[in-house]
Amino acid sequence: MIKFKINDKEVQARSGWTVLETARQYGIEIPTLCFHESVASSGACRLCMVELREENWSKLVASCIYPVSEGINVYTETERVQNVRRWIFEMLLSECPSSKEVKEMAKKYGVFKTRFPVQNPNESCMLCGLCTRVCEEVVGLSAIATLDRGVHKKVGAPFLRPTEVCVACGCCVTICPTNAMRSRIDSVRSNTKMQLAKAA
Amino acid sequence: MESNARVGVFICKCGDKIEPFIDLNLLQDKLLKDQNINYCEIMPYSCLKPGIENIYSKVINQKLNRVIIAGCESRLMLKKLEKELEPLDLKKGQIDIVNIRGHVASVSDISSAMKADKSAKLIKASAAEMVSLAPTIQSLARIEGPVMILGSGFASYTAAHELINNGFDCLLPSEIIESDFIINNLHLKYPGEYVYYDKLKLIRKELSTSKHVSAIPPGELIRLSGVTGDYKLTFSENDSGKEKSYKAGAIIACIDSDLKATDAEFWYDGQKVICQTEIEEIIQNKGIQEGKVVFWVNDYEAGYPEFSNLSSKSAWSMAKHIRELHNRVEVIILYNEQMQIPLSAEERSIGRKLGILWLPYDKEVRPSIQEGYITVCNIKDHVEYDISWDYMVLSPERKLYGNTLKTAQILGLVHKDGHFLAGRHVRVRPEMVGREEMYLAGSGKYPCNLNDALAQGYKAGKKTSEMLQKSKACELYLPRIVCAVDPQKCVGCGMCQELCDCGGIGAIEGTGGGLPRIVDPMICTGGGTCAASCPYHALILQNNTTDQREARIAALSRELSGSEVIGIACAWGGLPAADNAGAKGLKYDPRLHILGVPCVGQLDPCIFARAFLEGAPGLILIGCNPDECHHSYGIDHAGSRVTIIKKLLTMCGFDRRRIALAHADLNKPEEFIRTIESFTKTIEALGPIERNSINISKLESIYGLVKDNTRIRHLLCANLRRPWEHSYKGEPRHALEYDRDFSDALTEELLNTRVLRLLRLYNRPTMLQELSSNLMVDKKKVGERIWDMVNEGRVQYTHKDSEPMFIAHA
C-alpha cells in the first residue's frame, strides 16, 4: 500500500492508481471534462489539475494521469489550483462558447466570460478527444479522428464525409461531455442501405 | 437452469450521479432478499482501478461466477470490465451492467425510495437471466490448409503474392499462373493500365515457380460446402466434364466486372466507333500513326455518371500513351460539363505538354455522331460545333454476367440484377464477428481501377494471412454470441437459411432432403432472427438464448405493478436513445422499465407472450429505424412477431395496443421520450390485465401456442419478409390473402391449444358441454376443433350414455 495525503487527509492506494482515482475512492471530487472511465485518460483538458506541495515548493499536475507515490501531499482546491482552473475555463469559453455544460461548470468557479477571442460563437466541441478514444478503444474502430492541426483542429471522419467504417453505435454521442457530437454524428455515420441504393 | 451460478451485484455510487438520487441502502436490502443474488455491495466507483480491484478480489473470495454492475451505460463500460476481469474466466454474458444512472436516477423526479424499487426490479431481472445462462466453452477456430483464390480476377495476383510471402499455400486457377495470356488481355477488364503489365508478369513468374502455389485445371465451380477452415469446393473440369473436389481453409474471391461495348444507341459499329477495350487492342496490335482520336466519356448519357471518373481516367491514360508514341496523332477527350476531371496537378501538366485536349460540352445537349464528325454544344456560346474524328472511342458498360456471376452466386455473394457484389448490410462492432463475410476483391465488388483492385487483393491476402497466423498460434477464438444448431432437433426445413442475411448458414453435405443445417461461427454476426424463427427451437443463439431472455422478462414482469411497462430497446436505436436521454438529464415517465437487447429481431415471440403471462400490462419494442437495422432485417422481422401477438391478444379479448413496435434514432432522445410517453399513456388508460383464472388460462394458451406450435411457427416464419420481397418463389400469394389464412390458422390453433390445455388439466374424460362452457366458446366451434384433433390423434374419446367424452392423448 502506498500512503500519502490528499487535502491533509491520510489516504492509501495501490501502485498503478492515479491521484484522481484515489481521490474519488475517498469521495473527494475533482472536476473533469476529458476523463471517462471507459477509456484511457489523456490529460487533455487540464481541468483536473491539483497542487503537489513539498515544504515551500509546489507544482501543478493533471490528477487523471499522475500516478500516486509514497508521501506526496496533494491539494485539490488551493488558490493556485482554482486560479488555473479559472484560466482553463476562460480558454474553454473561447474554444467552445456554446456549450451549456462548460458554462455551468465555469459558473461554479466564478467565470462568466472570456478575455480570449471567440472564433466561433456556435462551437460546442472542446476537442477533448473522448469521442475518438471511445471509437478506437471501446468500439474497436477508428471511424473518427481529429483532423488538421492547431487552431484548425476538428473532429470528424476522413475528409469530413460520412464513412462506411462507422457502425453508428452512438458511443461518441453518449460520451461527449459537451453535447457537441450530436450535431456531428450525421456527418460521420452513413446509411449502408442508402448507399447500396445509390450504387444501384 | 444452472444451479452453480453465483451472482454478485456491485452498486456504483458514481459520485454525485447516482447516490443522491437513489436510496442505495434500501436497494441493497431488496437485492439481498432475492434468491438469485448471492452477494451485494455498494462502492464509490466500480469502474475505476480501486473499484475494479475490489470487484476482482470479491469475485475470488465469494466464488462468484456472475457479476452485475449497477452503474451506467453498458455500451461504454462493458468492454473495459470484460477486459479487466478476463483472468477470472468471466466470459461474455457473465458480466452485465444495468444502467441505473441513465435509466433510473436521472430520468424522473420520483422519490429515492421509489427509484431504489425500480432499480431493484431491473437488477433482479438481470440476475434471473444470469442464473439461466449456461456459458459455452471458449472454442478455438481452426483454419488450416490452402487458401482457394477463385474468380480469376486480377486481384488474384496480389492476393496470392501476399499469401506466399507469408508462407501460406494457395490454390489458383491454372490460367492465372501458367501463361501470360490473362495478363495480355488486361485491357479487356481494365483498359489503359499500361504500367501494370510488367509488374503483373513478374508476379506471375514468381507465383508459377513458388512451391506454395498449386494450380486447379480449368473448370467451373459447381458446389461449395463446409464452414470456414473446412471448405469443400467442387469443380466440373472443362476438358473431361468430370467433377473434382478440393479442400480449402479459406476462400478469396477475386472477381472483375466485364466491360461491354455500348449498343447502337451511341452509334457503336465496332469499326471506327469503338469501345475503350477495342482501341487499346488497335494500339497494341498495329498502332495508330496518324489521324484524330476522339474519346467521348459518355457515362452520363449512358446512365452511369458514377463511373465517368473511371472511364475518363482510362481515356486519359490511353490518350497519353498514343501521344507519347506518335505525336502526329491528335487526341481530344470530350466530357459532360458536370464531370470533374480526375487528374492531379502533375498529370494535368503532362497532359498540357502532350497537347491532350479536354473539351467539356453542354449537359443539356446530347452530342450526336455522324460519319467523321461529332456534334457537341459549346458551354460558353451554346453553339453546336462539329469535331472531326478518325476513331471515335466510347466508354464501356460495366456488368457482371455469365460464369463470373454464377461463381459469385455459389459463393453466396449478394447480387441483385444490375448491381455489383457490394457488401452485406450488417453493421456491428468488429469483435462481434469472426471475420468478414467474404474476402472479395476486384471490380466485381464495385467498379474501380486496377490499382484499387490490386490493393483490394493485397488486403484480402493480408487479412487471410493474419487469420491463418492467428489460428496457427492458437489465438483465434470463435465469437461468443453466435448461432448453433442442435442436429437432433433440426428437421432441415431451411427456413433459417432463407432468413439469414450473414450467409453463415448452410446444409450439412449429403444426399436427400431434410439435411440438418450448420452454422459457420466465423461468419455469423449474432443477429439471431434465424434462431427466433426456428419452428423447432433447433437453432439457438449461444450465450444469449431465448431461455435467458424469457427468464429476464419473466422476472421483471412478475415485479411490475399498476401500469408499469417494459421497453425492450435495441442496442443500436432504442438503447442509445435511452442512454443519451439519461446522460443529457432529460425526464420521462418513470413507469418505463428498459431492457437492452442486441437486436429486437432476435426475440422469439414466446418472450412477448411470457411477459403478458407473468403480469406485464404493456410491452413496447424500441428498435432502429427500418432502413437502419444493423442486423439487416431484424426490425422487419420483429414487426411480424409483434403482429402475431397482437392478433392473439385480440382473439382472446385483450386490447391489441398492449404490445407495440416503435423506432428510435440514437441522436433523437426527445423523440424517444415522445414514443414512450404516448405508450405509457395508452397502457395507463387500459390498466393492468385482470389476473383472473380465465385470463390467465388464455395467456397461458397464447404462450404455449407461439412457443410450441410448429404449424404456427412455420407459418409465421414464412411470413417474415425482407422489405423488397413481395412474395417468395413458388408461392406468389397476395399478402392480405396470406394474412387471412394465417389468422384462420391462428384461430384454429388457439382454440386447439386452449382445449388441450383444459383436457390436460382435467386429466379425465370430459364432455363437450363442459369444455365449451368453461372456455366460454360456442359448443359448435369447440366440437369442430376437438373432432379435428381426434382425427390427428391428439385427443382420444370414449362414450358415456351415448355422449362422447374426450381425453387428451398422453
Side-chain angles (χ1 to χ4, degrees):
Chain A
M1 280 301 209
I2 295 164
K3 285 181 189 160
F4 67 100
K5 279 181 186 167
I6 301 180
N7 297 345
D8 294 325
K9 187 179 161 191
E10 193 83 47
V11 294
Q12 289 190 338
R14 285 210 182 82
S15 81
W17 296 10
T18 60
V19 170
L20 180 73
E21 282 171 329
T22 318
R24 290 206 167 165
Q25 181 70 9
Y26 283 87
I28 301 161
E29 274 304 311
I30 297 173
T32 56
L33 269 172
C34 79
F35 176 81
H36 194 277
E37 299 82 354
S38 63
V39 291
S41 340
S42 75
C45 74
R46 319 307 283 178
L47 205 60
C48 64
M49 287 302 227
V50 292
E51 190 173 355
L52 247 62
R53 275 194 198 156
E54 209 168 301
E55 291 172 12
N56 53 4
W57 165 94
S58 89
K59 70 169 174 178
L60 289 165
V61 295
S63 61
C64 70
I65 46 172
Y66 197 82
V68 295
S69 53
E70 192 70 41
I72 52 173
N73 285 308
V74 179
Y75 293 89
T76 63
E77 290 291 335
T78 60
E79 183 47 43
R80 198 176 166 197
V81 167
Q82 289 189 350
N83 189 36
V84 146
R85 287 192 191 142
R86 279 195 293 272
W87 274 109
I88 291 162
F89 277 121
E90 276 204 51
M91 287 191 254
L92 284 174
L93 286 178
S94 103
E95 176 93 49
C96 47
S98 86
S99 163
K100 209 174 70 196
E101 291 78 1
V102 170
K103 270 189 223 160
E104 266 167 28
M105 284 179 88
K107 238 181 250 173
K108 287 184 196 159
Y109 283 82
V111 180
F112 296 92
K113 57 179 199 292
T114 178
R115 285 166 281 179
F116 298 106
V118 172
Q119 297 284 346
N120 179 1
N122 298 321
E123 186 58 86
S124 54
C125 173
M126 60 166 194
L127 294 164
C128 66
L130 267 180
C131 47
T132 63
R133 276 181 279 153
V134 81
C135 194
E136 192 182 337
E137 293 174 34
V138 176
V139 188
L141 297 165
S142 278
I144 47 172
T146 50
L147 314 171
D148 278 345
R149 289 189 290 178
V151 290
H152 301 295
K153 196 166 166 181
K154 54 189 162 288
V155 167
F159 309 108
L160 294 173
R161 285 202 191 133
T163 167
E164 275 180 52
V165 178
C166 174
V167 296
C169 63
C171 287
C172 51
V173 179
T174 310
I175 207 170
C176 181
T178 62
N179 229 348
M181 207 56 212
R182 255 196 98 167
S183 56
R184 262 153 243 247
I185 184 151
D186 287 323
S187 65
V188 175
R189 63 175 169 182
S190 68
N191 187 330
T192 322
K193 281 180 197 172
M194 257 159 54
Q195 278 183 348
L196 283 178
K198 223 190 263 171
Chain B
M1 239 190 223
E2 216 195 358
S3 53
N4 58 1
R6 283 188 56 84
V7 181
V9 180
F10 298 89
I11 305 167
C12 186
K13 287 187 193 169
C14 203
D16 58 355
K17 303 256 175 57
I18 295 181
E19 202 186 9
F21 302 102
I22 301 179
D23 187 339
L24 294 183
N25 292 321
L26 182 65
L27 175 60
Q28 192 185 20
D29 288 346
K30 279 175 185 283
L31 292 177
L32 281 171
K33 279 181 204 142
D34 190 80
Q35 51 162 357
N36 288 329
I37 295 168
N38 305 84
Y39 180 78
C40 183
E41 183 183 334
I42 303 172
M43 54 205 302
Y45 278 92
S46 56
C47 48
L48 293 176
K49 268 228 175 81
I52 287 172
E53 282 174 17
N54 181 30
I55 295 175
Y56 199 98
S57 65
K58 290 289 153 54
V59 169
I60 296 170
N61 293 342
Q62 301 285 331
K63 297 193 175 57
L64 303 174
N65 52 19
R66 308 280 192 277
V67 171
I68 299 173
I69 287 152
C72 56
E73 298 91 1
S74 70
R75 290 161 48 238
L76 299 178
M77 289 311 309
L78 195 57
K79 190 156 182 180
K80 179 180 183 182
L81 285 154
E82 280 175 351
K83 208 173 133 205
E84 297 278 352
L85 302 179
E86 203 183 1
L88 298 171
D89 209 35
L90 289 172
K91 301 274 161 40
K92 199 165 196 69
Q94 285 170 272
I95 305 172
D96 191 20
I97 299 182
V98 179
N99 187 358
I100 58 169
R101 186 176 94 189
H103 296 171
V104 183
S106 64
V107 294
S108 61
D109 296 321
I110 51 174
S111 71
S112 65
M114 281 165 85
K115 280 181 180 167
D117 194 47
K118 185 176 171 183
S119 308
K121 288 175 187 174
L122 292 171
I123 297 165
K124 281 186 206 169
S126 167
E129 176 183 346
M130 292 250 148
V131 170
S132 69
L133 161 77
T136 58
I137 51 162
Q138 187 84 343
S139 30
L140 278 170
R142 284 184 199 286
I143 302 167
E144 286 156 7
V147 180
M148 173 76 79
I149 299 177
L150 277 172
S152 304
F154 281 92
S156 308
Y157 291 104
T158 41
H161 196 228
E162 179 64 19
L163 281 166
I164 62 164
N165 281 348
N166 286 307
F168 293 107
D169 294 342
C170 47
L171 286 162
L172 279 163
S174 60
E175 70 257 31
I176 289 281
I177 38 176
E178 274 163 11
S179 74
D180 280 340
F181 179 76
I182 292 247
I183 299 174
N184 288 334
N185 283 313
L186 173 65
H187 61 274
L188 295 179
K189 305 275 185 183
Y190 297 98
E193 309 270 12
Y194 301 95
V195 286
Y196 289 98
Y197 282 93
D198 294 339
K199 186 183 166 190
L200 284 172
K201 282 176 184 169
L202 273 177
I203 298 180
R204 188 197 70 77
K205 222 175 226 170
E206 207 177 311
L207 290 179
S208 64
T209 53
S210 165
K211 64 178 190 321
H212 290 297
V213 176
S214 350
I216 311 168
E220 195 188 309
L221 178 70
I222 51 171
R223 240 188 342 271
L224 167 76
S225 62
V227 295
T228 311
D230 184 23
Y231 282 116
K232 193 176 151 197
L233 298 108
T234 313
F235 291 83
S236 121
E237 282 181 22
N238 282 357
D239 298 338
S240 56
K242 269 195 290 185
E243 285 191 11
K244 198 164 178 214
S245 297
Y246 297 87
K247 288 237 168 224
I251 298 173
I252 298 176
C254 297
I255 293 171
D256 289 330
S257 59
D258 301 288
L259 303 189
K260 260 177 69 180
T262 44
D263 51 21
E265 196 192 343
F266 293 96
W267 297 273
Y268 171 83
D269 70 347
Q271 304 291 321
K272 293 286 171 186
V273 183
I274 50 180
C275 177
Q276 285 187 352
T277 52
E278 289 160 320
I279 186 85
E280 185 156 343
E281 218 159 309
I282 295 172
I283 298 167
Q284 279 182 1
N285 291 343
K286 45 182 195 187
I288 301 169
Q289 271 81 30
E290 54 190 354
K292 193 167 178 183
V293 181
V294 177
F295 289 91
W296 175 19
V297 183
N298 64 334
D299 300 69
Y300 275 90
E301 286 70 24
Y304 303 104
E306 62 272 32
F307 304 144
S308 61
N309 271 8
L310 273 177
S311 302
S312 57
K313 197 77 196 268
S314 38
W316 185 81
S317 164
M318 280 189 269
K320 185 174 149 233
H321 194 65
I322 295 171
R323 289 287 296 175
E324 277 168 355
L325 290 177
H326 299 283
N327 59 11
R328 274 181 302 166
V329 190
E330 213 182 313
V331 185
I332 296 176
I333 302 172
L334 283 174
Y335 66 98
N336 191 308
E337 59 170 324
Q338 295 169 78
M339 192 192 92
Q340 284 187 337
I341 301 177
L343 297 185
S344 67
E346 195 192 348
E347 285 170 329
R348 278 167 198 265
S349 110
I350 295 172
R352 277 195 297 275
K353 267 179 214 151
L354 288 171
I356 297 165
L357 184 62
W358 287 82
L359 209 65
Y361 58 82
D362 193 331
K363 66 175 194 275
E364 304 298 341
V365 185
R366 187 186 169 110
S368 64
I369 295 176
Q370 305 93 42
E371 173 58 38
Y373 290 97
I374 177 167
T375 310
V376 291
C377 187
N378 192 322
I379 51 168
K380 285 191 186 124
D381 54 13
H382 304 288
V383 176
E384 291 194 8
Y385 291 96
D386 287 346
I387 297 163
S388 65
W389 49 263
D390 293 304
Y391 281 110
M392 184 73 225
V393 187
L394 302 169
S395 299
E397 206 178 308
R398 293 167 171 82
K399 265 203 170 130
L400 268 179
Y401 58 94
N403 275 350
T404 348
L405 186 55
K406 215 171 146 194
T407 306
Q409 277 164 347
I410 292 172
L411 292 176
L413 297 164
V414 186
H415 178 272
K416 285 185 278 167
D417 281 342
H419 295 225
F420 295 91
L421 304 170
R424 292 175 189 277
H425 300 156
V426 176
R427 285 188 299 164
V428 293
R429 292 184 180 188
E431 78 219 21
M432 291 166 69
V433 257
R435 65 169 178 89
E436 275 178 39
E437 66 264 13
M438 176 61 74
Y439 296 116
L440 173 63
S443 60
K445 189 176 178 182
Y446 193 77
C448 63
N449 61 25
L450 186 58
N451 190 24
D452 285 349
L454 295 178
Q456 286 167 13
Y458 169 76
K459 198 176 148 200
K462 194 170 170 218
K463 282 194 166 176
T464 313
S465 307
E466 279 169 9
M467 186 169 77
L468 291 165
Q469 264 152 4
K470 264 188 155 178
S471 165
K472 219 172 164 182
C474 289
E475 283 169 0
L476 190 65
Y477 291 98
L478 298 177
R480 298 282 299 164
I481 299 182
V482 290
C483 290
V485 180
D486 182 347
Q488 303 298 321
K489 285 186 187 167
C490 181
V491 299
C493 67
M495 286 282 197
C496 50
Q497 203 175 348
E498 273 182 51
L499 290 176
C500 168
D501 198 56
C502 338
I505 302 179
I508 289 175
E509 213 189 346
T511 48
L515 296 167
R517 304 290 137 164
I518 181 171
V519 175
D520 187 341
M522 292 294 280
I523 299 182
C524 180
T525 52
T529 181
C530 48
S533 55
C534 179
Y536 305 91
H537 299 280
L539 193 64
I540 59 156
L541 193 56
Q542 289 178 331
N543 302 311
N544 191 8
T545 56
T546 301
D547 291 346
Q548 277 170 256
R549 297 259 161 261
E550 245 190 73
R552 187 168 194 155
I553 209 152
L556 184 58
S557 302
R558 276 194 291 271
E559 299 270 334
L560 294 185
S561 57
S563 46
E564 288 179 330
V565 298
I566 301 179
I568 301 184
C570 106
W572 307 96
L575 191 61
D579 284 350
N580 290 341
K584 310 302 174 222
L586 302 176
K587 303 271 187 263
Y588 55 82
D589 198 315
R591 285 173 297 186
L592 180 82
H593 293 68
I594 296 173
L595 295 184
V597 289
C599 174
V600 287
Q602 61 186 223
L603 301 170
D604 194 296
C606 70
I607 296 171
F608 311 146
R610 183 75 187 267
F612 292 111
L613 175 61
E614 301 284 353
L619 175 63
I620 183 167
L621 278 76
I622 311 153
C624 316
N625 287 320
D627 268 356
E628 286 155 15
C629 180
H630 287 240
H631 287 286
S632 309
Y633 313 111
I635 188 84
D636 304 296
H637 294 178
S640 300
R641 295 184 184 120
V642 167
T643 310
I644 185 181
I645 299 292
K646 280 185 181 171
K647 277 180 195 288
L648 288 166
L649 286 175
T650 313
M651 283 172 195
C652 290
F654 302 116
D655 200 292
R656 65 194 287 136
R657 286 172 297 171
R658 289 191 186 275
I659 184 164
L661 178 67
H663 306 278
D665 186 282
L666 65 96
N667 208 16
K668 292 172 185 157
E670 293 84 2
E671 284 184 22
F672 165 81
I673 289 172
R674 272 204 289 281
T675 304
I676 51 179
E677 292 285 345
S678 88
F679 184 70
T680 43
K681 234 171 243 160
T682 308
I683 298 302
E684 190 181 346
L686 292 174
I689 298 176
E690 200 190 325
R691 307 287 292 165
N692 57 28
S693 64
I694 182 87
N695 278 352
I696 290 175
S697 87
K698 282 176 181 172
L699 290 169
E700 270 177 10
S701 300
I702 294 182
Y703 173 69
L705 179 71
V706 290
K707 183 157 175 133
D708 297 322
N709 191 309
T710 45
R711 179 186 174 203
I712 292 303
R713 287 180 68 90
H714 255 296
L715 288 173
L716 172 66
C717 184
N719 205 9
L720 300 175
R721 295 197 172 156
R722 290 158 191 177
W724 69 82
E725 287 170 332
H726 299 295
S727 64
Y728 275 137
K729 272 181 204 156
E731 204 200 341
R733 297 284 306 274
H734 190 278
L736 195 58
E737 213 177 289
Y738 187 97
D739 193 61
R740 280 186 191 126
D741 289 353
F742 184 48
S743 298
D744 288 347
L746 266 183
T747 321
E748 252 177 56
E749 294 293 339
L750 180 65
L751 195 49
N752 282 355
T753 315
R754 293 186 65 196
V755 170
L756 271 178
R757 193 190 147 272
L758 208 59
L759 285 176
R760 290 213 181 94
L761 200 73
Y762 289 158
N763 202 20
R764 60 172 161 79
T766 316
M767 288 220 284
L768 191 56
Q769 181 61 47
E770 192 184 348
L771 288 170
S772 150
S773 62
N774 209 310
L775 294 170
M776 296 199 276
V777 181
D778 183 39
K779 196 174 155 186
K780 206 177 143 206
K781 278 186 188 161
V782 180
E784 259 173 38
R785 301 303 344 123
I786 207 156
W787 284 112
D788 253 14
M789 285 198 285
V790 168
N791 288 337
E792 287 162 15
R794 290 150 87 181
V795 173
Q796 288 175 322
Y797 73 101
T798 53
H799 281 94
K800 191 186 172 192
D801 305 335
S802 74
E803 273 286 314
M805 308 272 285
F806 302 93
I807 185 162
H809 200 278

